[in-house]
Amino acid sequence: MSRYYVEISEALKNLRTDQDGVVSFEYIIVAACIIGAVAAAFGTGATGAIGTALSGGIAAIVTAFNAAV
């Protein structure tokens, strides 16, 4: 049992001083920020600002196409 405690404590010491672990954690934070920004831009459905602009643009193109034909 003592051997496992020593192995675990050594692994935790290495994890605290491991710079790669910090970089991985930073990637997780950046990914969460990107997900938040995309959710804010598009909304949870097609009701976000970009979704509304795209729907309006497509509707204008369809109207112009139908008028031309």
Side-chain angles (χ1 to χ4, degrees), residues 3-17:
R3 186 185 85 197
Y4 294 120
Y5 175 77
V6 171
E7 288 178 10
I8 291 172
S9 63
E10 289 298 319
L12 290 175
K13 286 178 187 176
N14 290 337
L15 184 61
R16 278 185 280 194
T17 60

Side-chain angles (χ1 to χ4, degrees), residues 27-47:
Y27 284 138
I28 292 171
I29 292 172
V30 169
C33 291
I34 290 171
I35 290 170
V38 169
F42 286 101
T44 56
T47 59

